[in-house]
Amino acid sequence: MHDVKNRTLLSTMRSTRPASHILAVSCMKLLLCAALANCQAQDNGSSFRIETDVMLTGQAQPIQQSVTLFHNAVAYDFSRDNPHSVIVIEAAHNRIALMDSQRQVQTRVNLQELKQFIDQAQQRIPESSLAPAIADSQQVSVNGSIVTVGRQFVCYQATLQSSTSSAADLYADFADASALLNAWRAPDRNPPPFARLQLNQLIREHRGVPIELTRTTKFSSKPHEELKSRLHINWRLSTEDGKQIEAFRQMLEQYPTLELAQFTNSNLPTKR
């Protein structure tokens, strides 16, 4: 009899809990689910950051420093040397946004059009002066975690750190877009992208992200140059990183979009 009364009492207590208690429990469950989902997203390599130091061989101090934040299949890249310049790459949607936070303007580049430009160049190999460089980019060797692409013209040697396939894909997509963009915007300052694109394909296949990368250019028309990049990877985004990403997203929504020629014209008035 006492057991029946106790069970009845417990049942009554459950049914008469205040709405605020039920709401608090529900909110707690939602927070726990959100935290779990965030941890899973972090763990599968969808959110991470890379700080890159670029140095000339033989020099101790970097000549370039940049930060790249990866979140929700988007890469947010900005320079330590020029923090007003921001590049946002959404490879899945073939979109590249170039933003100038000082002038508060942006421009958009179609990544698919850049890919088609490179594809057309490769199809014209027999009549192109780039034919030797394209052929050289197919020279590949793999020795453990060290991957080498190219020998005679542009040579990349990368030391890879094991990662998830999603992180490797995200980084390779970012590196592809950057190589295409740099070669298209400033061909006089950047080598043809073929060797770098080949390296990025190997990064995907080996499920790794570079922690050190050396690029050696050997074109006869220019002095040989060797650049060494050290990549410092953090597989978690900080609270400040999250705020930075939100600021970039607001810039994408608010800044007016200019034609590329207008965007690159530094004489345009700053801000709106």
Side-chain angles (χ1 to χ4, degrees):
M1 179 64 73
H2 289 296
D3 291 341
V4 173
K5 288 183 177 180
N6 289 337
R7 287 197 295 272
T8 303
L9 180 60
L10 288 172
S11 178
T12 303
M13 290 174 64
R14 292 192 189 100
S15 63
T16 57
R17 282 176 177 171
S20 59
H21 174 81
I22 296 173
L23 180 60
V25 172
S26 299
C27 289
M28 182 61 71
K29 288 181 178 179
L30 289 174
L31 288 173
L32 289 173
C33 290
L36 177 60
N38 183 60
C39 289
Q40 290 174 339
Q42 298 276 359
D43 289 342
N44 66 19
S46 64
S47 297
F48 58 100
R49 65 178 281 139
I50 296 179
E51 295 190 51
T52 303
D53 296 329
V54 180
M55 291 161 287
L56 286 168
T57 298
Q59 295 186 7
Q61 297 301 317
I63 60 171
Q64 294 177 6
Q65 293 182 299
S66 63
V67 178
T68 312
L69 306 176
F70 296 86
H71 182 63
N72 286 344
V74 182
Y76 304 86
D77 184 73
F78 58 98
S79 169
R80 293 285 196 196
D81 313 298
N82 182 16
H84 297 298
S85 177
V86 181
I87 301 176
V88 181
I89 296 173
E90 297 181 78
H93 299 287
N94 288 312
R95 292 196 294 255
I96 302 176
L98 310 178
M99 299 191 294
D100 184 334
S101 63
Q102 186 174 34
R103 295 158 58 208
Q104 296 189 4
V105 293
Q106 64 176 307
T107 191
R108 301 294 179 95
V109 178
N110 188 309
L111 182 55
Q112 185 60 36
E113 292 180 1
L114 292 184
K115 293 176 181 177
Q116 291 173 354
F117 172 78
I118 294 300
D119 289 342
Q120 291 171 0
Q122 288 180 313
Q123 291 171 5
R124 295 195 299 267
I125 286 178
E127 59 191 72
S128 171
S129 60
L130 294 175
I134 295 173
D136 189 54
S137 69
Q138 302 304 310
Q139 301 296 318
V140 173
S141 66
V142 179
N143 183 11
S145 62
I146 299 177
V147 178
T148 304
V149 175
R151 294 177 183 173
Q152 296 181 341
F153 298 99
V154 182
C155 176
Y156 287 93
Q157 185 174 84
T159 302
L160 304 184
Q161 173 182 304
S162 297
S163 70
T164 63
S165 57
S166 60
D169 287 340
L170 284 171
Y171 175 80
D173 286 342
F174 160 74
D176 274 353
S178 298
L180 293 171
L181 184 65
N182 291 337
W184 176 64
R185 291 180 70 192
D188 56 327
R189 299 197 305 271
N190 295 284
F194 310 110
R196 184 58 206 255
L197 295 175
Q198 180 63 48
L199 174 67
N200 298 338
Q201 181 58 36
L202 293 172
I203 287 172
R204 287 188 179 89
E205 294 173 0
H206 289 79
R207 297 186 178 183
V209 175
I211 54 175
E212 187 170 284
L213 195 155
T214 302
R215 186 191 79 187
T216 307
T217 54
K218 305 177 181 179
F219 288 100
S220 58
S221 59
K222 298 180 179 179
H224 289 192
E225 180 183 68
E226 185 173 281
L227 293 176
K228 185 180 293 292
S229 298
R230 291 195 173 94
L231 290 78
H232 312 280
I233 307 170
N234 191 324
W235 297 111
R236 294 287 188 276
L237 294 180
S238 68
T239 301
E240 290 303 313
D241 292 334
K243 292 178 180 178
Q244 187 71 76
I245 289 173
E246 182 57 30
F248 290 151
R249 293 180 64 84
Q250 291 180 7
M251 290 160 62
L252 286 170
E253 294 176 0
Q254 297 173 5
Y255 287 0
T257 302
L258 305 179
E259 294 294 332
L260 182 63
Q262 290 179 294
F263 180 84
T264 55
N265 182 359
S266 60
N267 294 322
L268 283 174
T270 59
K271 302 185 179 181
R272 284 175 287 173

